[in-house]
Amino acid sequence: MEDCSPAGAPAADDPEVMFQVPGPTVSFSRLHYSGMGGGDIRGMDGGTSGRKDPAGLKFGQVLIDGKMVDSDLRLISAYVVQDDILMGTLSVRENLLFSVNLRLDPRHYSTTDKQQRVDSIIDDLGLQDCAHTKIGTEFLRGVSGGERKRCSIGMELITSPRLLFLDEPTTGLDSNTANHIINLLHRLSRSGKTIVFSIHQPRYSIFSRFDHLTLMHRGELVYAGAAGKALSYFTDLGYHCEPFNNPSDFFLDVTNGEAHNLLAVSYRQSTQYQRVVEELDHLTQGLEGGVGGQGQKADYVTSFWYQMRIVGGRMVVNSLRNPQTSYAQLALNIFFALLVGLIYYQIPLTLPEALQNRMGAFFFLIINMVFGNLSAVELFINERALFIHENSSGYYRTSVYFLSKIFADLIPNRIVPILIFSAIAYYMMGLKPAFTAFLLFTLTLSLVSLAGVSLAFLVSASVSSFAMANVLIALPFVFMMVFGGFLVNLNSMLSWLSWLKWISIFRYGLEAVTINEFKGQIFYSNTTILPGEVYLETQGIDYSTWGFWQNHVALAGIITVCMVLAYIQLRRINRWK
């Protein structure tokens, strides 16, 4: 039952329908919407399910079985989005297993129980033929549109919700597939579920399945009641549906006609409206003054570590089935390692090439470690919609997704390529032969790379487009490179600019590898012997034990700060639709 006050908002013409036998009662008590847009009434189903921005709801109450709705409704109901958001590299069965593992309490459901639940969903939705077929990506052929939609519905039916919301479930489907989806929802409604969804211009065979119909125009209610009585209601108002005309087309013509402003007034003056108001008043008795109805606070049914195992496992499977990024990162590092090794092959200890070539090589290495990780900006952008949907549906905690993505990306795409890069470049260049020096060199490059990656993660969690991410990540990298100490002497800079050196990844990386290589080395020419420490002093570099390790501490600090900020930004992502 719905009761909405006029709001003078943008058009909202798609009907909302409800299948209800004998599931929970959904009540909208004297809601006042303003600024409803998007061309349909999804603000009703999405807002009720906790997915729509409530900014346009000025006053009113939303009740489920007479209880006030709060944000925790997302954990105890189900919501199917308009665009089917699924992991494309997983099969239909694997996606359903992912949902059942995270949304059913492992203390109460064994592995066998979960498998049986998935089998039952597959049978009910007619997905037997494609159960082991991957959903599909832009590079991988997968299931059909109708099968994707049924899989999306199945993901939400795992918890056997009594209340199911759908956002235009027939969008993008052919008429036959759309009819099949609606028949499926109709059967589900007869099993004790209340199903609420918005739909755009359904054909008659679909419209005939509706139990309850809500029509709105510009934020105002023009009809709410039994779908079978809608035609007679408009006939009583003087609007006649011609023979063979689709009722849904007729309703759209009427609500968008010249007299559309009178429809809301007529409805508020009708006896049907008065019956709705009386029933709503009965339901809301005792709720004034903030009394009653708040349900028990919902929480995740699975623990943090259990979610880490399931979500992390999916990340690993996704990486193994879509390894292009890992292969490309590894190939890029091997190529640049060979390139640097050939350009600076076996650098001698003779002056002046010993100093010039070493510093040039180190600067090239640091640049490669930083700019070679620009691909990290796609980490949270690629799956942004998937994360928002699954997190809003109560699949897992934000921290679980963040840590799983970080570990799944760092090990194959950052750590392993750096180890290979260091081993090739270090010994081809003929740097200090001590194995300890090689380990410190590898540690330094790893921290430099991770610092650049962490900044890329921060940008990735903060924006939603690659274009903006590339701009935001390039600017700080360029500034850090300028203030790294190689292109300009930091001691000669203006005082009000010199502070930027303290946030330069390049500076800390260059100083660390320079100290590691030059300390204890002797460089010479025909007439000159130059200890490495003397060169470090001329460059103003502190080569003491702390002077060396302070660079690593600073890099670790940059990594920590950027990672924490990236997590905060991920939590702050706008989840409203």
Side-chain angles (χ1 to χ4, degrees):
M1 291 170 291
E2 294 82 2
D3 177 18
C4 298
S5 302
D13 303 318
D14 291 359
E16 177 177 279
V17 298
M18 179 186 292
F19 296 146
Q20 182 177 352
V21 181
T25 302
V26 184
S27 306
F28 308 93
S29 175
R30 288 181 169 76
L31 296 182
H32 185 114
Y33 282 95
S34 66
M36 285 182 59
D40 57 33
I41 193 175
R42 286 173 299 189
M44 297 289 283
D45 55 1
T48 309
S49 61
R51 303 302 183 91
K52 295 293 181 181
D53 189 348
L57 183 58
K58 292 186 175 180
F59 59 83
Q61 295 169 325
V62 181
L63 310 176
I64 302 292
D65 279 342
K67 295 181 179 180
M68 292 287 294
V69 169
D70 57 22
S71 60
D72 289 325
L73 175 67
R74 65 187 177 88
L75 298 177
I76 57 177
S77 64
Y79 182 84
V80 179
V81 295
Q82 178 177 349
D83 300 320
D84 303 315
I85 304 175
L86 301 165
M87 181 64 76
T89 55
L90 300 186
S91 67
V92 170
R93 174 177 289 276
E94 288 170 334
N95 272 289
L96 293 175
L97 281 173
F98 178 79
S99 178
V100 76
N101 282 327
L102 291 174
R103 304 178 79 181
L104 294 184
D105 194 337
R107 296 170 297 182
H108 302 147
Y109 295 89
S110 65
T111 302
T112 303
D113 294 334
K114 294 177 181 179
Q115 291 284 356
Q116 291 176 349
R117 178 68 63 87
V118 171
D119 291 338
S120 176
I121 293 294
I122 289 176
D123 291 339
D124 291 343
L125 301 184
L127 294 171
Q128 299 92 331
D129 294 338
C130 62
H132 299 286
T133 304
K134 294 180 177 61
I135 296 298
T137 65
E138 53 187 315
F139 305 109
L140 177 67
R141 184 177 180 181
V143 299
S144 66
E147 290 167 338
R148 286 176 64 96
K149 178 62 68 176
R150 280 180 280 161
C151 185
S152 296
I153 295 174
M155 294 278 284
E156 304 306 321
L157 293 179
I158 287 294
T159 57
S160 297
R162 294 179 60 204
L163 182 58
L164 178 64
F165 299 94
L166 301 98
D167 187 359
E168 296 198 18
T170 60
T171 297
L173 303 179
D174 60 78
S175 58
N176 182 64
T177 304
N179 191 57
H180 181 78
I181 294 295
I182 296 302
N183 286 335
L184 167 66
L185 296 176
H186 189 264
R187 290 199 306 271
L188 293 174
S189 72
R190 268 47 189 173
S191 64
K193 293 177 172 56
T194 295
I195 299 178
V196 183
F197 60 90
S198 58
I199 191 169
H200 178 73
Q201 211 163 354
R203 71 190 218 185
Y204 179 73
S205 61
I206 292 177
F207 176 81
S208 64
R209 294 289 190 177
F210 299 163
D211 297 318
H212 186 99
L213 177 68
T214 297
L215 298 173
M216 295 184 69
H217 183 75
R218 295 186 179 275
E220 298 187 56
L221 199 63
V222 297
Y223 179 80
K229 297 181 179 180
L231 282 176
S232 60
Y233 170 81
F234 282 98
T235 299
D236 293 340
L237 294 179
Y239 301 97
H240 299 277
C241 181
E242 298 178 356
F244 308 109
N245 189 9
N246 186 354
S248 61
D249 294 333
F250 167 71
F251 296 142
L252 288 175
D253 292 339
V254 172
T255 55
N256 288 290
E258 295 181 357
H260 59 76
N261 291 328
L262 300 177
L263 294 176
V265 177
S266 299
Y267 178 72
R268 290 195 297 273
Q269 294 175 349
S270 67
T271 56
Q272 184 169 354
Y273 174 83
Q274 298 303 322
R275 288 196 299 270
V276 171
V277 171
E278 291 174 1
E279 190 165 354
L280 288 173
D281 288 339
H282 175 73
L283 287 172
T284 55
Q285 286 180 359
L287 291 178
E288 286 74 11
V291 178
Q294 288 289 354
Q296 183 179 359
K297 183 176 178 59
D299 197 4
Y300 295 97
V301 298
T302 50
S303 67
F304 172 86
W305 294 111
Y306 186 87
Q307 290 181 5
M308 279 291 296
R309 181 167 66 87
I310 300 299
V311 178
R314 185 179 71 167
M315 299 293 182
V316 172
V317 171
N318 183 51
S319 298
L320 292 176
R321 295 179 180 176
N322 189 30
Q324 291 88 343
T325 301
S326 300
Y327 289 162
Q329 198 71 29
L330 182 61
L332 184 67
N333 276 273
I334 293 176
F335 171 77
F336 276 108
L338 293 173
L339 180 63
V340 173
L342 292 173
I343 295 175
Y344 300 100
Y345 185 74
Q346 297 299 311
I347 305 174
L349 295 175
T350 56
L351 298 172
E353 59 268 20
L355 302 181
Q356 182 180 0
N357 287 1
R358 277 176 169 79
M359 293 307 299
F362 293 159
F363 184 67
F364 190 90
L365 291 174
I366 299 302
I367 286 181
N368 179 65
M369 287 297 101
V370 175
F371 284 95
N373 290 296
L374 287 176
S375 62
V377 297
E378 71 177 11
L379 188 73
F380 297 116
I381 296 178
N382 273 346
E383 296 180 1
R384 195 180 188 91
L386 181 68
F387 162 71
I388 291 175
H389 168 63
E390 292 180 342
N391 182 253
S392 299
S393 298
Y395 280 68
Y396 45 69
R397 298 165 175 84
T398 302
S399 57
V400 168
Y401 178 80
F402 178 78
L403 293 175
S404 298
K405 287 293 289 183
I406 294 298
F407 290 132
D409 180 85
L410 289 184
I411 296 176
N413 298 336
R414 318 298 164 191
I415 303 300
V416 173
I418 291 172
L419 295 178
I420 297 175
F421 177 92
S422 301
I424 296 174
Y426 190 86
Y427 289 105
M428 286 189 68
M429 290 188 295
L431 301 180
K432 187 183 294 186
F435 185 67
T436 304
F438 166 71
L439 293 180
L440 293 176
F441 175 83
T442 304
L443 173 64
T444 302
L445 291 192
S446 298
L447 289 175
V448 168
S449 178
L450 293 179
V453 167
S454 63
L455 184 57
F457 288 167
L458 173 58
V459 172
S460 179
S462 302
V463 299
S464 57
S465 68
F466 286 113
M468 182 61 68
N470 288 328
V471 171
L472 292 180
I473 195 62
L475 286 176
F477 280 173
V478 170
F479 273 100
M480 288 180 181
M481 181 174 64
V482 171
F483 293 94
F486 182 82
L487 300 177
V488 62
N489 190 300
L490 298 177
N491 295 324
S492 65
M493 296 182 62
L494 297 174
S495 58
W496 60 275
L497 279 176
S498 61
W499 66 271
L500 290 171
K501 66 183 180 182
W502 300 111
I503 59 172
S504 173
I505 297 173
F506 290 82
R507 170 177 174 262
Y508 296 120
L510 276 173
E511 287 195 1
V513 294
T514 302
I515 295 171
N516 182 58
E517 174 65 19
F518 280 72
K519 187 176 181 180
Q521 289 272 55
I522 301 296
F523 305 100
Y524 58 89
S525 64
N526 293 333
T527 59
T528 306
I529 295 179
L530 179 68
E533 289 82 355
V534 174
Y535 176 78
L536 294 174
E537 290 175 358
T538 61
Q539 298 298 311
I541 298 176
D542 180 7
Y543 57 86
S544 65
T545 301
W546 170 243
F548 172 73
W549 286 107
Q550 69 180 355
N551 297 293
H552 298 83
V553 172
L555 290 172
I558 292 175
I559 295 171
T560 302
V561 170
C562 288
M563 288 293 190
V564 170
L565 291 178
Y567 173 67
I568 293 174
Q569 287 296 91
L570 199 63
R571 290 190 63 90
R572 295 180 65 249
I573 284 181
N574 182 17
R575 289 165 172 76
W576 299 118
K577 295 184 179 295

